[in-house]
Amino acid sequence: MAGPVATPVPKLVDVARWLWIAGACVGMTRFVAELFDRETLVAEARRQNPALGQDQVDAAVDRGVLFGLVVAAAFLLVYTRLANRMAHGRNWARVVLTVLGVASVAFGLFRLVAWVSGAAGVEMRPLDLAVTVVTAVLETTAVVLMYRVPGHFRKRGAVDSALPRT
């Protein structure tokens, strides 16, 4: 007996999948770039605890960078798995991605408005500005595309009429 036939992924949903993955990659690239700005990390560690010696500061920064890389890899893995689940018709993954995307875009817009207005001392370097705009565009487009093919996310389970209803 043959296994279940896999339904093809609609083009718009497939594009949405790759937009989610691309958005996560862009965000992680900025994060990793910040992790390798050792001078800033050392200065921040010294500011937070001036009593530490240089060896302790270096060790703390090294641990922080390693932890940051693990978090970045986990984040990218989670986004990729969610995007793949969504592409295979899992509505829960579409909902989770929607919530994450809307929150990310809202936070990005909040940062942009705060930066433009000069409120709350928000600083944005050109790289931060570019990444914020690019990820907002990618994630907004991905959310819209996911909802353009609603039939792909309908339940696929068949109802067995032989089971008694209660």
Side-chain angles (χ1 to χ4, degrees), residues 43-55:
E44 183 63 24
R46 285 221 174 275
R47 187 188 66 76
Q48 288 182 3
N49 196 346
L52 293 179
Q54 186 61 41
D55 289 342

Side-chain angles (χ1 to χ4, degrees), residues 29-88:
T29 300
R30 179 187 67 186
F31 180 70
V32 169
E34 289 174 359
L35 283 178
F36 287 108
D37 184 5
R38 189 164 184 86
E39 290 176 16
T40 302
L41 295 174
V42 168
E44 183 63 24
R46 285 221 174 275
R47 187 188 66 76
Q48 288 182 3
N49 196 346
L52 293 179
Q54 186 61 41
D55 289 342
Q56 293 169 319
V57 169
D58 287 339
V61 168
D62 290 343
R63 283 191 305 273
V65 168
L66 181 60
F67 180 74
L69 290 173
V70 169
V71 168
F75 183 80
L76 189 58
L77 178 68
V78 166
Y79 260 81
T80 301
R81 299 228 1 148
L82 282 170
N84 286 330
R85 294 283 191 260
M86 177 276 303
H88 288 100

